[in-house]
Structures are given as C-alpha cells and as structure tokens.
C-alpha cells in the first residue's frame, strides 16, 4: 500500500496523467523496485519514455529507470505503470488516496508484462534455446536478442541473431494469437509475408527475417522506391478470405478518438481538435466496396530492394475495409515525414490515387490519420512534443481543406 499520492489538483479525467507523469511517479517506481529487488541502494532517475492515454483519462506510462545497487553499480530497468482499463490482470496494484479519492495503479517491470506472458520466454536463455530448436535453429553460440519495439500490454517485437540465422519474435496477448496465425496462413501463400516457424499458446510467434530494406530507411537513404503501380499490385493480391476477419474502426470513429486524446494531452487545443474531429466525421468520404486491406499500410511496413517489394510486415490488422483507407494511411505517414524524397514519393502516389478516387473522399481519411499521428510526439515524450503536435494538427487541417 502506498501512502498519500501527490499531484496537482485537476479534473478526474486528467488526474491519472498527473499521477503518472508528476512527482508521484518517482514514489510509484520506488515502491515496485523496493518490493522486488533485495539490494537496492536507491533510484537515480525515472524518465517516462512512452505514454498511452485513452479518452476516459486511463493512462499507461513506460519508464526508463536507473537503479543504484548497494555496491554502487547502476543498472537500467524498464518499468510500467497503468490506471483504469489499461491495467492488465495480474499486475501488482499500488493503492493510495488523492484529495480524498481512492486511486489504484497497476505496475510491472520488463519483461514480466502480465498481458504478454510469452515475453519472458524470449529473454530466458534456456527457453529461447528450446524454442529455436523447434524452429530448426541450433546455433553454436548463445543467440543475441535485441528489442525492436515494446508497446506495454499490447505487443513486443524482438530481433534474434543465432549464428547465420536471423529471426523475429512477435509477442501478443494470447487471445490475439489465433488471429495472427490465421492471417499469416492466408497471406504467406500469395504475398512476401513470413511464415510462422513456431507459435506458443501464451502469445509468442517466431518468424524468419525477410530480405530488403525498410521503406522508411529507403526513403532516408535515397534508395529506389516501389512505384504506385507496384503497391497497387501488392494490395490487389491480398486474399479475399481476409474479409472474414474482424474489421478495424473506420476513419470517422478514429478521428473522434484521436481528438478526445489530444484534448486531454494538449488542453490548449481542445476546441480546435474537437472541431477538427467533428469536421472529419461529417465530411463526405463516399461509399466504397469492402475489400481485403492491410489496415496499417505505410512505408515502414514494407521491405524493398531496387524498387521491388520484398516483404510486407505487421499484418496484425489485415482484414475487411476500404482500399482508399490503405492509401490514405500511407499518404498521411509520408506527409509527416520531413524529407524531400518523402515529398516526391507522396506526390507520385497522390497522382495515382487521384486517378482512381475523388480527392474529396481521400482528404478526410488522410486528415484522420494525421490527427492520429499528432498524438505521437506526446506518446513518445519528445522534448519538443508540443510544437510537433501543433504542427501535425495544422497539417490535418490543411489536408481536410486541401483543394
């Protein structure tokens, strides 16, 4: 049990942000470190590196923590704190009171994420060795594991090098594994999507690395990029059976969600983002047939070589949708990429899309995704997050009004 938490007086819907990003954060981290480590001499620093906020105010924060041991050595840890609906079952709960109101915070430390039970297997040498053997990989020396991404409670991707073999381990909540397996089964037979080598019922999937350079790196390095026609062919090859999978929310619902999140994190822009989300929702986006879509189609999901697509990644959201949404997602990501090569590719793709769809039906979809990307600088806790957030809100407005 934690004693009284300290936070600035605030409405209930921003209270959790104050607790997890204010002075209370250090107390929370101290509580979990003291309870789980025997030789703690102190906590040197606590730095938030990722923040997830829901419109309800429920909040999740990932911290980079420097822990000083009694022998004065310093170790770096990753800890996570969450409130409300973002607390997974199995998290340690720290309780206290704030202004006379009871508050509970869920806590865990890497790699023991209660929502991702398979994660600890990848960083355990013996378990990893057994899983690699099942995948047909038996390295002479211990494999190296590098974290590619970690979204607490949602997913993790780790790169594994075992001798000459390169693999990726994706960890998802166990309930999502059947859908992931099904998507890989459907797509690997007709697209450059990796086949799953091994899966475990606790949400772990191993797959081989594919050749090529990520589209994001190709943009940055000036490599040749796929033509819009090549991308169209890629999307055309998505199998019809994907339409039986669950659908994502549409761009209107996402715009309302993003607007509500931005109203919490940038209250000075509340009126503007609320009005913008409303205009996106009310704009005429047209009626389009339901077809197989990637669901999160943008340059970083592509592996390329000499202008050819050699890999299609992160198919977790593949399912039924409207083709224009895949194009809008790609254009939105290019729009926030501040390089001349991104502008050139954006114009090339935009010309192609305008040949198949009316611009006024594209604009609200791109604006919705850009509004979502405006939540990114705060989520990643960039030092200049406020300025970058406003730049992206401006960009979403320009896309909606674009002639």
């Amino acid at each position: 049990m934690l004693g009284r938490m300290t936070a600035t007086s605030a409405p209930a819907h921003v209270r959790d942000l104050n607790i997890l990003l204010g002075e209370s954060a250090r107390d929370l981290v101290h509580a979990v470190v003291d309870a789980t480590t025997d030789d703690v001499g102190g906590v040197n620093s606590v730095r938030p590196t990722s923040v997830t906020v829901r419109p309800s105010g429920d909040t999740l924060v990932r911290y980079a923590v420097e822990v000083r041991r009694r022998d004065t050595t310093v170790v770096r840890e990753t800890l996570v704190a969450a409130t409300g609906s973002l607390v997974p079952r199995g998290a340690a709960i720290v309780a206290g009171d704030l202004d006379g109101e009871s508050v509970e915070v869920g806590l865990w430390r890497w790699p023991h994420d209660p929502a991702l039970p398979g994660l600890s297997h990848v960083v355990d040498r013996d378990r990893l060795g057994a899983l690699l053997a099942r995948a047909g990989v038996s390295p002479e020396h211990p494999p190296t594991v590098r974290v590619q991404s970690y979204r607490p409670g949602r997913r993790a991707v780790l790169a594994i090098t075992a001798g000459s073999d390169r693999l990726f381990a994706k960890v998802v909540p166990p309930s999502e594994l059947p859908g992931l397996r099904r998507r890989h089964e459907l797509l690997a037979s007709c697209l450059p999507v990796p086949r799953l080598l091994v899966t475990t019922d606790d949400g772990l999937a191993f797959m081989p690395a594919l050749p090529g350079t990520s589209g994001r790196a190709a943009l940055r390095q000036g490599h040749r990029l796929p033509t819009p026609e090549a991308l169209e062919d890629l999307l055309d090859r998505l199998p019809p059976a994907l339409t039986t999978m669950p659908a994502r929310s549409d761009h209107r619902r996402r715009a309302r969600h993003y607007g509500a999140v931005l109203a919490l994190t940038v209250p000075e822009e509340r009126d503007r983002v609320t009005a913008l989300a409303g205009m996106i929702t009310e704009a005429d986006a047209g009626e389009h047939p339901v077809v197989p879509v990637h669901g999160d189609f943008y340059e970083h999901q592509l592996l390329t070589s000499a202008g050819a697509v050699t890999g299609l990644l992160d198919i977790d959201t593949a399912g039924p949708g409207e083709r224009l949404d895949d194009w809008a997602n790609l254009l939105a990501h290019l729009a926030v990429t501040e390089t001349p090569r991104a502008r050139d590719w954006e114009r090339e793709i935009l010309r192609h899309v305008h040949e198949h769809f009316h611009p006024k039906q594209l604009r609200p979809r791109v604006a919705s995704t850009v509004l979502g990307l405006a939540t990114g600088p705060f989520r990643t806790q960039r030092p200049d997050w406020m300025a970058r957030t406003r730049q992206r809100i401006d960009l979403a407005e320009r896309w909606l009004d674009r002639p």
Side-chain angles (χ1 to χ4, degrees):
M1 173 74 77
L2 187 69
R4 181 175 178 79
M5 298 179 183
T6 58
T8 57
S9 178
H13 60 281
V14 297
R15 180 200 64 197
D16 294 357
L17 270 174
N18 286 337
I19 291 172
L20 299 189
L21 294 179
E23 293 180 4
S24 299
R26 193 174 183 89
D27 295 337
L28 290 166
V29 170
H30 268 291
V32 70
V33 169
D34 289 343
T36 57
T37 306
D38 294 331
D39 60 346
V40 175
V43 175
N44 285 358
S45 63
V46 178
R47 180 173 59 88
T49 57
S50 177
V51 183
T52 298
V53 183
R54 293 226 172 127
S56 61
D58 296 346
T59 302
L60 180 150
V61 180
R62 188 180 76 208
Y63 304 99
V65 181
E66 282 195 355
V67 178
R68 186 177 67 260
R69 299 193 184 279
R70 288 177 182 155
D71 63 2
T72 73
T73 59
V74 174
V75 295
R76 290 173 175 81
E77 301 246 6
T78 296
L79 274 75
V80 182
T83 64
S85 62
L86 291 171
V87 180
R89 182 178 299 176
I93 302 297
V94 172
D97 66 274
L98 178 65
D99 296 332
E101 184 179 354
S102 177
V103 177
E104 292 188 345
V105 178
L107 294 158
W108 64 93
R109 55 198 301 191
W110 168 275
H112 306 290
D113 189 322
L116 303 175
L119 184 56
S120 59
H121 292 185
V122 189
V123 296
D124 180 282
R125 180 174 296 182
D126 292 336
R127 290 179 175 177
L128 177 59
L131 290 167
L132 289 176
R134 285 176 56 190
V137 177
S138 300
E140 294 182 5
H141 303 287
T144 60
V145 179
R146 183 165 48 90
V147 180
Q148 296 283 102
S149 65
Y150 174 47
R151 299 289 295 270
R154 295 179 58 183
R155 67 171 224 167
V157 178
L158 302 97
I160 301 168
T161 302
S164 60
D165 293 293
R166 292 183 61 243
L167 302 92
F168 287 94
K170 177 173 282 190
V171 190
V172 297
S175 62
E176 296 180 12
L177 187 65
L180 182 66
R181 283 185 184 132
R182 179 62 176 153
R183 289 179 174 92
H184 276 267
E185 289 169 358
L186 289 172
L187 272 69
S189 61
C190 55
L191 285 162
V193 169
R195 294 185 181 276
L196 299 185
L197 302 173
V198 173
T199 63
T200 62
D201 291 340
D202 56 5
L204 178 58
F206 282 81
M207 61 197 78
L210 296 179
T213 302
S214 79
R216 181 174 295 171
L219 268 178
R220 186 172 60 248
Q221 297 165 11
H223 294 177
R224 203 166 123 208
L225 295 161
T227 64
E229 291 75 18
L231 298 179
E232 187 86 63
D233 175 68
L234 189 76
L235 295 173
D236 281 342
R237 289 156 57 198
L238 290 167
L242 275 179
T243 57
T244 64
M245 303 297 293
R248 290 186 73 198
S249 59
D250 65 17
H251 73 278
R252 298 180 178 90
R253 183 174 295 179
R254 293 198 297 273
R256 290 193 293 270
H257 172 87
Y258 301 141
V261 170
L262 288 166
L264 282 177
T265 56
V266 196
E268 301 89 343
E269 300 288 350
R270 181 188 306 274
D271 292 343
R272 184 158 72 122
V273 295
T274 301
L276 178 56
M279 288 187 287
I280 292 171
T281 300
E282 294 167 6
D284 177 18
E287 297 293 332
H288 301 274
V290 174
V291 298
V293 297
H294 180 278
D296 191 22
F297 189 66
Y298 69 106
E299 74 283 354
H300 200 47
Q301 314 290 35
L302 301 170
L303 295 176
T304 70
S305 178
V309 177
T310 58
L312 180 63
L313 307 177
D314 286 346
I315 59 170
D316 311 46
T317 54
E322 298 176 358
R323 173 65 59 85
L324 187 53
D325 285 325
D326 272 348
W327 287 118
N329 198 66
L330 173 57
L331 286 166
H333 280 80
L334 291 177
V336 302
T337 303
E338 299 167 355
T339 67
R341 187 68 185 94
R343 296 287 73 73
D344 292 342
W345 203 28
E346 179 187 342
R347 284 190 288 268
E348 188 180 350
I349 290 168
L350 192 58
R351 283 193 295 270
H352 176 84
V353 175
H354 283 174
E355 291 174 1
H356 298 82
F357 300 96
H358 196 288
K360 75 175 183 179
Q361 298 174 359
L362 172 69
R363 290 195 297 266
R365 298 166 190 267
V366 177
S368 175
T369 301
V370 173
L371 194 63
L373 294 173
T375 67
F378 176 81
R379 177 174 54 79
T380 56
Q381 289 291 285
R382 290 185 58 122
D384 58 348
W385 71 263
M386 181 73 79
R388 285 186 171 270
T389 298
R390 288 187 167 129
Q391 288 170 4
R392 292 183 179 187
I393 296 171
D394 292 344
L395 182 60
E397 289 178 331
R398 291 199 299 272
W399 263 99
L400 191 60
D401 296 334
R402 191 170 181 160

